Amino acid sequence: MENSKIIYKAENLKKSFLIGKGKRVEVLKGLNFEIKEGEFVIIFGPSGSGKSTLLHILVGLEPPTEGRVYFRGKDIYSLSDDERANLREKEIGMLYQQPIWIRSLNVLENVAFPLILQGYERKKAFPLALSYLAQNKMEAFKDYYPQELSGGEQQKVALARGTVINPPVLIADEPTGNLDQDSGKELMHLLTLQNKSFQRTIIMVTHELSFLDYAKRVIRMIDGKIVADFYQ
């Protein structure tokens, strides 16, 4: 990875929240790191360590209390709300623990929806969406509604939707959290293929120790701090 470009850079990243009567809780405590293009990074740690808060900052949804985060050299929080929304729409794919569906649309229509938002005509968006479903062996389910599928099947459809715009980065927040072990392994295999076949940068949060071997790099967090950062 020595010659790879830096896609994310965090400098002294801090985040705190006010709770109760003026009490401030510090969630992130001065994080510094760089992530290069093409890396598969797992951010690992117990619940409450600040992992998901960090992801929200990286995608432009939660400004840090202090510090800066750069995406391809641009300070994300120097951008307007519309510019950050455009960044998420075109540059960052998302995969959540619990997918959010448009329940009136079938699987193919849900996967095609990000393309429609970008101005694709249906006659172009639908074949492209079907090809992304095929990558995850889900093309046979195109006419189903997502809520009719199992949890593992839904996550494979969600992966197709998150990558259909061909984003350079895919950010996954506990994507295996609701899956059984076999479905979790299947999803991790698909994420590995996304990384290796398309050189897509993947940043994934998990607390599951068994999945660390899938990543090229592990960042371990405890109590809002990075306590280990290593390649494997």
Side-chain angles (χ1 to χ4, degrees):
M1 304 298 298
E2 291 80 2
N3 296 321
S4 299
K5 295 180 180 178
I6 295 169
I7 198 161
Y8 268 111
K9 182 176 183 179
E11 294 181 344
N12 194 34
L13 215 54
K14 297 181 180 180
K15 182 64 181 181
S16 59
F17 295 97
L18 281 173
I19 62 171
K21 296 181 178 180
K23 182 180 179 182
R24 185 169 290 276
V25 175
E26 199 172 3
V27 178
L28 299 180
K29 303 174 181 179
L31 307 187
N32 293 279
F33 60 86
E34 295 176 349
I35 294 175
K36 296 177 180 177
E37 290 182 349
E39 287 191 321
F40 187 162
V41 182
I42 283 183
I43 302 171
F44 172 75
S47 297
S49 59
K51 307 184 304 297
S52 292
T53 298
L54 175 58
L55 287 196
H56 293 158
I57 291 174
L58 293 181
V59 300
L61 291 172
E62 186 71 57
T65 307
E66 293 183 39
R68 298 180 185 274
V69 57
Y70 299 91
F71 180 85
R72 288 183 163 173
K74 290 184 178 179
D75 181 349
I76 293 176
Y77 292 95
S78 70
L79 304 175
S80 67
D81 289 345
D82 287 345
E83 288 171 329
R84 284 198 298 275
N86 188 59
L87 179 71
R88 289 189 294 273
E89 183 179 314
K90 296 182 177 179
E91 303 282 346
I92 303 171
M94 296 294 302
L95 186 61
Y96 296 102
Q97 179 174 334
Q98 186 65 48
I100 300 170
W101 304 112
I102 302 174
R103 296 179 67 85
S104 61
L105 301 182
N106 65 26
V107 162
L108 183 61
E109 291 166 336
N110 265 281
V111 174
F113 190 69
L115 297 170
I116 301 295
L117 287 178
Q118 290 196 17
Y120 281 69
E121 296 180 2
R122 290 168 66 93
K123 64 182 180 181
K124 290 185 178 180
F126 279 32
L128 188 55
L130 187 60
S131 73
Y132 275 78
L133 283 169
Q135 287 179 13
N136 301 335
K137 297 181 171 56
M138 289 299 294
E139 67 272 27
F141 295 86
K142 64 183 178 65
D143 295 323
Y144 285 66
Y145 287 85
Q147 53 269 28
E148 297 175 325
L149 306 181
S150 70
E153 290 166 344
Q154 287 193 42
Q155 284 298 61
K156 288 190 279 186
V157 172
L159 178 58
R161 182 180 60 181
T163 55
V164 72
I165 59 171
N166 195 28
V169 177
L170 178 68
I171 290 184
D173 191 0
E174 298 275 8
T176 62
N178 289 334
L179 305 183
D180 60 48
Q181 192 72 8
D182 288 342
S183 296
K185 287 181 179 179
E186 191 173 2
L187 183 64
M188 293 304 299
H189 175 68
L190 291 172
L191 289 172
T192 301
L193 289 177
Q194 285 289 326
N195 176 247
K196 291 182 177 178
S197 299
F198 304 103
Q199 289 74 55
R200 206 178 311 284
T201 306
I202 296 177
I203 305 170
M204 174 180 158
V205 152
T206 188
H207 63 271
E208 298 184 59
L209 187 64
S210 60
F211 292 139
L212 298 189
D213 288 343
Y214 289 88
K216 297 176 181 176
R217 178 182 173 192
V218 175
I219 296 174
R220 187 181 181 200
M221 290 183 64
I222 295 178
D223 192 28
K225 298 178 181 178
I226 294 175
V227 297
D229 184 349
F230 58 91
Y231 289 88
Q232 53 185 19

